[in-house]
Amino acid sequence: MAAPALVALAHGSRDPRSAATIKALVDEVRAMRPDLRVEPAFLELSRPSFGTVVDRLVKAGHDEIVVVPLLLSEAYHAKVDVPSAVAEAVDRHPGLQVRATSVLGLEPRFLEVLDLRMREALRVNRVRELDALVLAAAGSSDPLANQAVARLARVWGTHHRLPVTAAFASATPPATGEAVRAFRAEGRRHIAVASLFLAPGFLPDRAAELALEAGAVAVSEPLGAHPELARTVLARYAVGAVELVPV
């Protein structure tokens, strides 16, 4: 019996760098599990759409699909958009079984990727000293999602023994520029900003722009297509595949 297909479902963006990053992450997953059928898909703004990918898989003979949402927070897209897309696909294909897993989320081990991206930014900008950090995320109207970012910021700050503030690119304050200015008001001058985004796009760019305008010495790139994220995709897939097994 063939293993369920894996669909890595991202939100999508008008910025082509975003889709390219998602597809690179899917390539990482394929390299780790060449026995699996793994496909990228997007909820909106990028191609291929989730519906198109499901149609393609059904035509190829797959009757079980595990959907791993490539989202860092359990907010609106995870709670509304993903279940809606899955329900629509199942309605169109009687007999098809689709299991959506938990989102990628904010795994503590992602801090290793964050550190890697930060070291790259510090090297490029020739920064040798830091006295504060800002952890920049998308932000959500869901306070629990924002609290998860704040918790991760505290863990990261404890690890580096530096003060860290969580900042957000939308929906809730503080913005990255505000967070940087608040640290500068305390007399701190070497403030770096880490981009807790999966891929490049409008929000990461805006967060970086505001941070640099406020005096940040460096802003890291988003997490991107790193093996640690690919391993997490496969861990989510494994749980979803087990849930498809008849009891």
Side-chain angles (χ1 to χ4, degrees), residues 161-179:
R161 298 181 182 179
L162 286 170
V164 180
T165 293
F168 303 97
S170 67
T172 188
T176 50
E178 295 175 82

Side-chain angles (χ1 to χ4, degrees), residues 15 33 88 98 111 115 150 180 215 245:
D15 190 324
R33 285 292 304 272
E88 181 182 345
V98 182
L111 292 178
D115 283 344
V180 170
V245 176

Side-chain angles (χ1 to χ4, degrees), residues 20-231:
T21 300
I22 297 303
K23 290 171 182 176
L25 176 57
V26 166
D27 286 343
E28 290 277 352
V29 175
R30 286 173 176 153
M32 292 178 182
R33 285 292 304 272
D35 57 309
L36 291 180
R37 178 74 180 263
V38 185
E39 298 291 341
F42 301 91
L43 287 167
E44 59 181 12
L45 302 176
S46 300
R47 293 181 179 178
S49 69
F50 179 63
T52 297
V53 171
V54 170
D55 292 348
R56 187 185 304 156
L57 290 171
V58 170
K59 186 176 182 179
H62 291 275
D63 58 7
E64 294 183 327
I65 298 172
V66 175
V67 179
V68 180
L70 301 184
L71 302 169
L72 297 181
S73 66
E74 193 79 48
Y76 183 86
H77 296 306
K79 294 176 179 177
V80 177
D81 292 340
V82 172
S84 176
V86 168
E88 181 182 345
V90 171
D91 285 344
R92 286 191 297 107
H93 296 285
L96 177 66
Q97 295 188 73
V98 182
R99 175 71 63 181
T101 73
S102 300
V103 300
L104 283 188
L106 297 175
E107 294 287 341
R109 59 182 175 270
F110 289 176
L111 292 178
E112 297 174 18
V113 186
L114 206 70
D115 283 344
L116 173 65
R117 301 294 181 238
M118 179 55 73
R119 286 195 295 271
E120 292 169 349
L122 296 178
R123 182 174 63 252
V124 168
N125 290 279
R126 299 181 180 180
V127 176
R128 298 182 180 276
E129 179 183 352
L130 288 178
D131 49 21
L133 294 165
V134 174
L135 185 59
S140 171
S141 57
D142 186 334
L144 293 179
N146 298 329
Q147 288 169 21
V149 175
R151 283 195 300 273
L152 194 68
R154 289 194 293 272
V155 172
W156 195 42
T158 299
H159 176 72
H160 290 293
R161 298 181 182 179
L162 286 170
V164 180
T165 293
F168 303 97
S170 67
T172 188
T176 50
E178 295 175 82
V180 170
R181 280 191 289 272
F183 276 134
R184 289 181 64 83
E186 295 174 6
R188 303 179 189 275
R189 291 293 177 266
H190 303 93
I191 306 146
V193 177
S195 297
L196 188 61
F197 299 89
L198 189 58
F202 172 76
L203 289 181
D205 284 355
R206 182 60 177 157
E209 179 184 3
L210 292 174
L212 294 171
E213 285 177 353
V217 294
V219 179
S220 73
E221 293 294 322
L223 298 173
H226 189 276
E228 194 61 64
L229 275 75
R231 283 189 283 270

